[in-house]
């Protein structure tokens, strides 16, 4: 097992990464303060992993809320189902919530924990590659609104993150690839050595070689933990973790939640951000080709959907959380391994990217 720490003073917490961790009771119990727990999961993940997790909770009053599966259920209505389940189960302020699942369950369970009785403790137990390397760490929680992705939420840090890499064995290939988009992101924004390692080892990773995967997850979480420790509330460099996301969120919202997976939309959005960076003279053509190559090696899309117009992009992107006083800030690449948050781009160049020119 490997352990990392998200260093946030008295709110610091560990990330445990390894095989067989779901069964390691001692990783969970120190972070359960009261006598009751509630597990939030979904109808796909619960039959696979709820029982092993619950085996750790003997002696505690334990209940669960099982959500419908899918990004389209990351809504206020389904969030309310969690609150109903918590009230019916008699959860109080000392109840600990366990979020068992991918980023959708983690974001919703986390937001329920942030807001139930004004905030209770929670533990992230991520089961997708994407949630292991990104969404379970850092305390961003929330839900979608029909008009915009992740528009309602809260910062609320977990007590710990338990990443059992064995759970990846049941994840399908499309979802696995989607997670790889966020892994590649860390290389592109801040670590060219990691990017080279990913390119060299992508076929091992795609065949789910345990050692290669454990390293990719560890290194990704290390990056995420460092960035969050420096800028928990996204006043600065945390925004750089959103490379490709402004374009990607527009794709997810515009195409209907769940039709493009988050990681797929981020992948196509990353290529769009790279193309704009090239038009600004920051990246070479060969850099953009290299980005497309590594994303393709991970079986990810490198072109946006053809049926989303520039007008639709502009509409969705204008609601991005990085818009300030009406000015849209975008994460772009100054060079490989160096991302910047910038409003210093040529609007005509952006328009050309959106129009696929
Ligand atoms: P997801 O939660 O929808 O999970 C993908 C699919 O895999 C689902 O059908 C799920 O039921 C299934 N699944 C999960 N674990 C499985 C397993 N071990 N075996 C078999 N099936 C399994 O999607 P995701 O990619 O994990 O997360 C995407 C979400 O995360 C988006 O809503 C995105 O906005 C959010 N996100 C949040 C942050 C953050 O910082 N909070 C960061 C990145 C992404
Ligand atoms: N996934 C972006 C962030 O956590 O800030």
């Amino acid at each position: 097992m490997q352990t990392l720490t998200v260093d946030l003073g008295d709110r610091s917490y560990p990330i445990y990464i390894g095989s067989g961790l779901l069964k390691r009771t001692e990783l969970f119990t120190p972070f359960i303060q009261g006598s009751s727990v509630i597990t939030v999961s979904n109808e796909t993940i619960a039959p696979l992993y709820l029982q092993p997790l619950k085996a750790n909770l003997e002696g505690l009053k334990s209940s669960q809320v099982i959500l419908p599966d899918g990004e389209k259920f990351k809504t206020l209505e389904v969030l309310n189902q969690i609150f109903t389940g918590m009230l019916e189960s008699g959860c109080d302020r000392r109840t600990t919530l366990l979020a068992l699942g991918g980023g959708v369950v983690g974001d919703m369970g986390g937001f329920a924990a942030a807001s139930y009785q004004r905030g209770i403790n929670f533990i992230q137990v991520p089961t997708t590659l994407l949630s292991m390397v990104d969404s379970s760490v850092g305390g961003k929680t929330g839900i979608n609104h029909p008009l915009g992705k992740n528009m309602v939420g809260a910062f609320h840090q977990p007590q710990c993150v338990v990443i059992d890499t064995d759970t990846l064995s049941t994840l399908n290939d499309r979802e696995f690839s989607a997670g790889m988009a966020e892994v590649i992101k860390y290389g592109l924004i801040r670590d060219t050595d990691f990017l080279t390692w990913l390119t060299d080892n992508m076929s091992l990773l795609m065949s789910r070689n345990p050692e290669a995967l454990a390293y990719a997850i560890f290194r990704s979480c290390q990056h995420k933990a460092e960035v969050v420790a420096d800028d928990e509330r996204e006043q600065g460099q945390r925004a750089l973790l959103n490379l490709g996301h402004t374009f990607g969120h527009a794709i997810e919202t515009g195409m209907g939640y769940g039709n493009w997976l988050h990681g797929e939309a981020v992948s196509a959005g990353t290529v769009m951000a790279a193309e704009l960076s090239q038009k600004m003279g920051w990246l070479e053509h060969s850099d953009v080709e290299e980005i497309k190559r590594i994303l393709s090696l991970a079986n990810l899309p490198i072109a946006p959907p053809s049926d989303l117009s520039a007008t639709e992009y502009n509409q969705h992107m204008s609601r991005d959380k990085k818009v300030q006083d009406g000015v849209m800030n975008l994460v772009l690449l100054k060079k490989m391994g160096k991302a910047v948050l910038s409003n210093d781009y040529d609007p005509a160049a952006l328009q050309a990217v959106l129009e696929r020119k």
Side-chain angles (χ1 to χ4, degrees):
M1 180 178 83
Q2 291 175 294
T3 306
L4 288 164
T5 302
V6 183
D7 194 354
L8 290 170
D10 59 5
R11 290 176 301 112
S12 296
Y13 56 92
I15 307 169
Y16 301 118
I17 306 166
S19 161
L21 302 197
L22 268 190
K23 297 193 188 104
R24 298 270 298 267
T25 307
E26 77 279 11
L27 301 182
F28 295 89
T29 41
F31 303 100
I32 295 172
Q33 54 167 1
S35 58
S36 69
V37 291
I38 185 155
T39 304
V40 176
S41 191
N42 78 19
E43 60 201 7
T44 305
I45 301 150
L48 296 167
Y49 301 115
L50 185 60
Q51 279 320 317
L53 184 65
K54 282 187 83 165
N56 298 309
L57 309 174
E58 270 178 27
L60 293 163
K61 185 173 165 239
S62 167
S63 53
Q64 60 273 328
V65 181
I66 307 302
L67 306 177
D69 182 4
E71 183 75 36
K72 66 175 186 288
F73 296 110
K74 195 174 153 182
T75 61
L76 195 56
E77 291 72 27
V78 177
L79 178 71
N80 203 37
Q81 285 180 23
I82 305 180
F83 294 138
T84 302
M86 295 175 83
L87 287 162
E88 285 175 352
S89 303
C91 293
D92 62 25
R93 278 193 166 160
R94 279 171 61 79
T95 299
T96 299
L97 186 152
L98 277 71
L100 170 69
V104 170
V105 165
D107 281 10
M108 293 186 79
F111 190 30
S115 43
Y116 183 76
Q117 297 194 358
R118 302 203 178 87
I120 62 169
N121 285 352
F122 86 115
I123 294 175
Q124 286 274 19
V125 190
T127 60
T128 60
L129 180 59
L130 187 140
S131 56
M132 292 177 185
V133 300
D134 193 352
S135 61
S136 64
V137 176
K140 278 190 182 175
T141 72
I143 53 170
N144 300 328
H145 185 281
L147 295 181
K149 175 90 183 134
N150 294 338
M151 278 297 151
V152 180
F155 286 100
H156 187 59
Q157 301 295 340
Q159 303 305 115
C160 75
V161 181
V162 180
I163 299 176
D164 185 338
T165 51
D166 293 351
T167 60
L168 292 176
S169 65
T170 51
L171 191 68
N172 70 38
D173 289 343
R174 186 178 169 199
E175 295 290 353
F176 185 84
S177 286
M180 206 51 84
E182 303 280 18
V183 176
I184 293 168
K185 169 186 83 179
Y186 294 111
L188 289 173
I189 63 172
R190 66 198 312 264
D191 187 352
T192 46
D193 289 345
F194 186 44
L195 195 63
T196 305
W197 182 88
L198 286 170
T199 309
D200 294 345
N201 290 280
M202 193 52 81
S203 63
L204 264 186
L205 288 164
M206 295 308 283
S207 66
R208 308 196 193 191
N209 173 278
E211 288 76 34
L213 256 183
Y215 176 70
I217 294 168
F218 177 82
R219 192 80 189 107
S220 299
C221 286
Q222 208 170 30
H223 279 299
K224 180 95 191 230
E226 266 176 37
V227 172
V228 170
D230 282 354
D231 180 21
E232 181 186 7
R233 298 232 160 196
E234 199 167 304
Q235 304 298 304
Q237 68 147 331
R238 184 164 180 173
L240 305 182
L241 295 174
N242 282 315
L243 176 68
H245 284 57
T246 304
F247 298 99
H249 285 164
I251 294 172
E252 286 187 85
T253 311
M255 298 306 288
Y257 296 127
N259 290 319
W260 274 60
L261 301 182
H262 177 70
E264 294 171 341
V266 165
S267 175
T270 296
V271 175
M272 295 171 89
E275 286 170 351
L276 180 52
S277 305
Q278 185 195 345
K279 287 185 193 297
M280 294 307 298
W282 298 341
L283 286 190
E284 302 291 333
H285 175 71
S286 57
D287 295 327
V288 179
E289 290 307 304
E290 191 184 328
I291 292 171
K292 288 182 181 171
R293 189 169 98 80
I294 187 164
L295 294 168
S296 301
L297 287 174
N299 295 329
L300 283 161
I302 53 169
S306 53
D307 40 1
L308 205 60
S309 68
T311 310
E312 288 171 285
Y313 273 108
N314 277 314
Q315 207 171 44
H316 295 302
M317 290 169 72
S318 69
R319 296 194 187 107
D320 186 84
K321 292 190 286 303
K322 289 180 292 304
V323 171
Q324 284 187 337
D325 301 324
V327 178
M328 184 159 62
N329 294 289
L330 289 172
V331 183
L332 299 174
L333 291 171
K334 276 277 175 184
K335 59 179 186 173
M336 297 294 265
K338 174 124 186 67
V340 287
L341 184 67
S342 172
N343 54 31
D344 181 27
Y345 53 82
D346 176 3
L350 172 61
Q351 194 61 18
V353 169
L354 299 181
E355 289 173 2
R356 313 297 309 133
K357 285 184 180 156

